[in-house]
Amino acid sequence: MAMSVGKEDGDDVPMSDINTTPLVDVMLVLLIIFLIAVPVVVETVPIALPATAYEARETKPENVELTVRGGPGGTCEVYWGMTPIDSQTLLDRSVKSLEDAIAKVGGAENLTDDTMPEAHIRGDVNTPYKCIGGTIFTMQRAGFARVGFVSEPPAGTGVTRL
């Protein structure tokens, strides 16, 4: 190992400047090690996330089409078609609609997945969850086993909205 002792003219004074190159090299190596090691150490609970898929919905006359949006002052507005409706009327009308659909197929024993009516909810993106959750709860109380959401298809699917 060599040591620089200054000028050649006779002054034998040791050089006092610190060589920072090895320090920078060590720091870069540590940075690379930590960048590689940190994602390996982070633990998460293993779950299977749902895959997003677009399914074209089948419109049947017995299906109930609802629109939900937030109103002024934190209220909820629910529409059956284009008619505004309150929670109790929604429950009564949904029960009546389900009873009519059951009578149409000849009784509850004749209901199948294809003949069971569905509730389709269109919710505005800015609607509070309590409005949509309350509508889902009301439809489930009425007896609807299938409650679905109407959404925009993913970009690039070639499906145009009418």
Side-chain angles (χ1 to χ4, degrees), residues 37-124:
V38 168
V40 174
V41 176
V42 175
E43 293 183 26
T44 59
V45 176
I47 59 171
L49 295 175
T52 304
Y54 176 72
E55 297 176 15
R57 67 185 173 112
E58 184 179 327
T59 304
K60 297 185 280 189
E62 60 269 8
N63 289 348
V64 176
E65 302 289 330
L66 300 172
T67 303
V68 182
R69 68 179 184 183
T75 60
C76 301
E77 297 175 353
V78 180
Y79 295 85
W80 186 300
M82 294 296 291
T83 308
I85 194 168
D86 66 358
S87 183
Q88 186 59 45
T89 309
L90 175 62
L91 178 62
D92 296 340
R93 199 166 170 186
S94 299
V95 168
K96 175 81 171 99
S97 173
L98 191 57
E99 288 172 349
D100 291 347
I102 291 171
K104 183 178 176 183
V105 296
E109 61 276 351
N110 296 332
L111 277 179
T112 64
D113 286 341
D114 294 332
T115 58
M116 181 70 175
E118 303 173 4
H120 295 163
I121 298 175
R122 294 175 57 235
D124 184 66

Side-chain angles (χ1 to χ4, degrees), residues 20-35:
T20 57
T21 304
L23 177 67
V24 171
D25 289 345
V26 169
M27 295 308 267
L28 287 174
V29 168
L30 289 175
L31 177 68
I32 291 170
I33 289 172
F34 285 121
L35 285 175

